[in-house]
């Protein structure tokens, strides 16, 4: 669904690289940073929205992140991709926000109430309901597991890319994902019958089972 | 080895992620081969991955994008020592170059959406906007959640507004209303990054020529975003797409033929048309016609018709503003 951060498709690879834009920005080009923002804002929005589960919080976090990136562009070191660096700033802004507000884990009965609050329109699709359930379920996870699952399972980044963003070893990302999925399994497993995922997951299961 | 001991989700998740050592992995696989309940748990874990991957990731709403542009412009300003710097006001044409509605040749009439909400008393029994979105506010989980919900609603307006207000700033030079909105909206919850004077200087210095095209005769807002809609997008609130697009003036033959289709749809639906956008639906030229189904609940009926024969391109569906 989403390409990993380091590998934009050939068709959309821009003439000017992110790194060149960032250099131009540091050298005083007033439009360079806008271009960077335009290129990456959707992805950053998706990461923040899924990590925080609240559009207002996500808007604040992404704004903080872009402003912060704007300010500390000079500290960017070329060994990381600009996208990885931006992701890191956004994820950290989200994690900071969660810590500062000490967003507490949500209890199970609150989940039901949250679902009621977000009452869908009568003929809204399965897809949207699933999206809301996923949002609510993610909020049950500790922030480190949530951030890992958002990057790897939702955004489709490789474990290695996620490890660079989160600045932890790959093994740590894997184990956070594993623990997160184990927590979500009882909550989300009923969705298997609501979507056409059944076939895929069974095939995956069988593949794992058979080694 | 594969007796009565079952494995829990954590072990199975680690197996799936390749985190178990070789011996343990072999042991667990052996068990899975004969144990249906554990196989079921493994399938549940796979479901989690699939569900997460299948959850759509929406694009950043225009209001948020504009807000960020504004914050960055303020940052650029403060970096220069807070000078007035009219020459460095954001180049909105540049910033918005790729926005779908920028292709429209028509002149923006940005006040229309805002005005429409109050100027159509006959069509609604909702007294005000706050009363129109009661769903989230109505249910109370606990203290923390109440506060969160109220604040959320109030602040959402905060960044939903600039999309329209900023469009106004581009089009309407020096309009007091526009700059006031920008100032007001710039003040909300943006920490140390806001410099409202920038917003104001932008409002007065934008050189876009203004030309007004009255649209009063039409009872709905007509926009020409040329946006290519998908079903998925149409399930999102439409304000984000319709709201910022420039209003198309009346009098053109194009607008007249649109009007014909709109009237035909209104005849079919028996609902008041609120907004119409000229764009595409899955790559095909289309009119997206939004009419109020239940204004109090912000529910719209969305008809998508081809602009030539006014035939529905898909089943009318419910949407939100």
């Amino acid at each position: 669904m989403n390409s990993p951060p380091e590998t934009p498709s050939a068709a959309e690879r821009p003439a000017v690289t992110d790194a060149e834009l960032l250099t131009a920005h540091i050298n005083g080009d007033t439009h360079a940073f806008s271009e960077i923002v335009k290129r990456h804002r959707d992805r950053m929005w998706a990461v923040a929205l899924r990590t925080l589960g609240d559009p207002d919080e996500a808007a604040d976090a992404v704004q903080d992140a872009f402003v912060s990136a704007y300010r500390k562009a000079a500290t960017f070191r070329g060994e990381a991709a600009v996208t990885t660096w931006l992701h890191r700033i956004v994820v950290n802004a989200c994690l900071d926000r969660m810590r500062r507000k000490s967003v507490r884990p949500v209890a199970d009965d609150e989940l039901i109430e949250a679902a009621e609050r977000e009452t869908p329109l009568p003929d809204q699709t399965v897809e949207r309901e699933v999206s809301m359930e996923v949002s609510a379920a993610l909020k049950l996870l500790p922030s480190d597991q949530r951030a890992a699952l958002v990057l790897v399972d939702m955004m489709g980044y490789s474990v290695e890319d996620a490890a660079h963003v989160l600045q932890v070893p790959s093994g740590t990302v894997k184990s956070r994902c594993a623990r997160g999925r184990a927590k979500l399994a009882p909550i989300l497993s009923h969705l298997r019958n609501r979507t056409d995922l059944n076939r895929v997951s069974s095939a995956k299961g069988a593949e794992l089972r058979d080694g | 080895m594969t007796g009565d001991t079952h494995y829990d989700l954590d072990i199975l998740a680690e197996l799936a992620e390749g985190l178990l050592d070789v011996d343990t992995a072999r042991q667990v696989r052996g068990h899975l081969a004969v144990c249906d309940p554990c196989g079921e748990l493994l399938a549940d874990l796979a479901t989690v991955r699939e569900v997460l991957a299948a959850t759509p990731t929406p694009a950043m709403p225009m209001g948020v994008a504009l807000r960020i542009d504004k914050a960055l412009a303020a940052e650029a300003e403060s970096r220069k020592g807070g000078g007035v710097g009219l020459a460095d006001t954001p180049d909105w044409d540049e910033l918005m170059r790729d926005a779908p509605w920028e292709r429209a040749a028509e002149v923006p009439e940005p006040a229309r959406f805002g005005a429409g909400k109050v100027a159509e008393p006959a069509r609604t029994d909702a007294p005000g906007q706050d009363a129109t979105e009661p769903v989230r506010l109505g249910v109370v989980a606990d203290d923390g959640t109440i506060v969160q919900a109220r604040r959320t609603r109030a602040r959402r307006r905060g960044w939903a507004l600039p999309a329209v207000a900023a469009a106004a700033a581009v089009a309407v030079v020096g309009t007091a209303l526009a700059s006031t909105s920008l100032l007001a909206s710039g003040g909300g919850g943006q920490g140390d990054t806001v410099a409202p004077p920038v917003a104001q200087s932008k409002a007065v210095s934008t050189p876009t020529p203004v030309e007004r095209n009255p649209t009063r005769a039409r009872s709905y807002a007509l926009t020409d975003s040329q946006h290519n809609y998908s079903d998925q997008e149409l399930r999102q609130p439409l304000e984000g797409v319709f709201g910022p697009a420039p209003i198309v003036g009346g009098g053109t033959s194009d607008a007249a033929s649109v009007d014909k289709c709109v009237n035909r749809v209104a005849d079919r639906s028996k609902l008041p048309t609120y907004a119409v956008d000229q764009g595409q639906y899955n790559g095909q030229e289309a009119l997206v016609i939004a009419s109020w189904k239940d204004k109090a609940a912000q529910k719209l009926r969305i008809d998508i018709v081809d602009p030539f024969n006014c035939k529905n391109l898909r089943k009318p569906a419910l949407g939100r503003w």
Side-chain angles (χ1 to χ4, degrees), chain A residues 1-2 25 30-31 33-35 37-38 41-42 44-46 49-50 54-64 66-67 70-73 97 101 104 110 113 116-119 121-125 127-128 130-131 134 138 149-150 152-155 159 171 173-186 188-192 195 197 200-202 204-211, chain B residues 9-10 13-19 29 32-33 35-36 38-62 64-69 71-72 75-77 79 88 91 94-98 135-137 139-142 144-146 148-149 151-153 155-157 159 188-194 232 235-236 297 299 316-320:
Chain A
M1 184 168 61
N2 295 292
H25 164 65
T30 46
H31 295 305
F33 200 81
S34 302
E35 178 63 27
V37 171
K38 203 157 59 183
R41 62 187 175 199
D42 284 344
M44 300 304 154
W45 170 251
L49 183 64
R50 294 311 177 201
D54 176 300
D56 296 297
E57 289 283 322
D60 286 348
V62 175
Q63 178 175 325
D64 287 353
F66 274 128
V67 169
Y70 186 103
R71 283 181 192 155
K72 47 184 197 186
R97 202 156 272 281
K101 304 221 165 209
R104 62 193 170 77
E110 284 178 86
E113 284 167 354
E116 282 169 358
R117 204 167 8 195
E118 301 268 351
T119 308
L121 297 177
D123 66 344
Q124 260 179 340
T125 57
E127 200 177 80
R128 172 152 172 84
V130 167
S131 175
V134 167
L138 278 171
L149 280 182
V150 166
V152 175
D153 283 1
M154 298 191 89
M155 302 298 295
V159 167
V173 173
K174 285 185 184 179
S175 97
R176 285 177 186 175
C177 286
R179 275 180 285 145
R181 288 183 203 123
K183 282 209 190 76
L184 293 182
L188 297 179
S189 62
H190 69 282
L191 294 172
R192 203 187 333 164
T195 64
L197 304 168
V200 187
S201 14
S202 302
K204 264 199 179 172
E207 185 189 309
L208 275 164
R209 226 187 337 252
D210 306 339
Chain B
L9 279 163
D10 283 312
E14 287 181 4
L15 171 77
E17 201 50 58
L19 291 166
R29 282 210 180 89
L32 282 167
C35 178
D36 281 347
C38 285
E40 199 54 32
L41 288 183
L42 193 63
D44 287 349
L45 285 165
T47 301
V48 170
R49 297 194 71 160
E50 301 292 341
V51 167
L52 291 180
T55 306
T57 50
M60 177 180 283
M62 219 50 227
V64 179
L66 288 170
R67 194 186 109 169
I68 288 170
D69 289 341
L72 289 172
E75 178 66 21
E77 211 54 43
R79 174 172 285 205
D88 288 296
D91 181 347
E94 177 65 19
L95 286 172
M96 304 298 287
R97 191 183 46 197
D98 293 340
V135 187
R136 282 168 69 120
L137 289 173
V139 181
V140 174
D142 63 18
T145 318
I146 299 168
Q148 180 75 11
R151 189 177 50 79
T152 293
R153 181 55 59 197
R155 286 169 59 216
R156 176 157 301 149
R157 295 259 162 259
W159 56 255
Q190 296 175 35
D192 56 352
T193 62
V194 178
Q232 190 184 319
R235 286 192 289 270
Q236 308 294 326
K299 285 184 197 174
L318 277 190
R320 291 170 300 151

Side-chain angles (χ1 to χ4, degrees), chain A:
Chain A
M1 184 168 61
N2 295 292
S3 54
E6 285 17 312
T7 55
S9 76
E12 70 186 23
R13 187 171 295 138
V16 183
T17 66
D18 290 338
E20 286 164 351
L21 283 172
L22 202 60
T23 307
H25 164 65
I26 294 165
N27 293 333
D29 181 336
T30 46
H31 295 305
F33 200 81
S34 302
E35 178 63 27
I36 293 180
V37 171
K38 203 157 59 183
R39 283 182 187 178
H40 300 292
R41 62 187 175 199
D42 284 344
R43 229 185 263 271
M44 300 304 154
W45 170 251
V47 168
L49 183 64
R50 294 311 177 201
T51 306
L52 290 166
D54 176 300
D56 296 297
E57 289 283 322
D60 286 348
V62 175
Q63 178 175 325
D64 287 353
F66 274 128
V67 169
S68 158
Y70 186 103
R71 283 181 192 155
K72 47 184 197 186
T75 68
F76 170 74
R77 282 173 312 197
E79 66 259 32
V82 173
T83 43
T84 304
W85 175 70
L86 277 177
H87 273 84
R88 189 178 298 156
I89 295 173
V90 169
V91 170
N92 285 338
C94 292
L95 295 178
D96 273 355
R97 202 156 272 281
M98 285 193 268
R99 269 193 291 271
R100 239 183 307 156
K101 304 221 165 209
S102 62
V103 176
R104 62 193 170 77
V106 188
D108 278 352
D109 54 338
E110 284 178 86
L111 266 190
I112 299 161
E113 284 167 354
E116 282 169 358
R117 204 167 8 195
E118 301 268 351
T119 308
L121 297 177
D123 66 344
Q124 260 179 340
T125 57
V126 171
E127 200 177 80
R128 172 152 172 84
E129 285 172 39
V130 167
S131 175
M132 285 180 337
E133 285 201 58
V134 167
S135 245
L138 278 171
K139 286 187 185 166
L140 295 172
L141 300 180
S143 53
D144 57 347
Q145 293 172 17
R146 203 193 305 176
L149 280 182
V150 166
L151 292 176
V152 175
D153 283 1
M154 298 191 89
M155 302 298 295
Y157 300 158
S158 70
V159 167
E160 287 68 30
D161 284 341
H164 283 131
V165 169
L166 299 170
Q167 293 180 290
V168 296
S170 296
T172 306
V173 173
K174 285 185 184 179
S175 97
R176 285 177 186 175
C177 286
R179 275 180 285 145
R181 288 183 203 123
K183 282 209 190 76
L184 293 182
I187 306 168
L188 297 179
S189 62
H190 69 282
L191 294 172
R192 203 187 333 164
N193 302 321
R194 306 250 309 272
T195 64
D196 59 350
L197 304 168
N198 202 3
R199 191 181 47 75
V200 187
S201 14
S202 302
K204 264 199 179 172
E207 185 189 309
L208 275 164
R209 226 187 337 252
D210 306 339

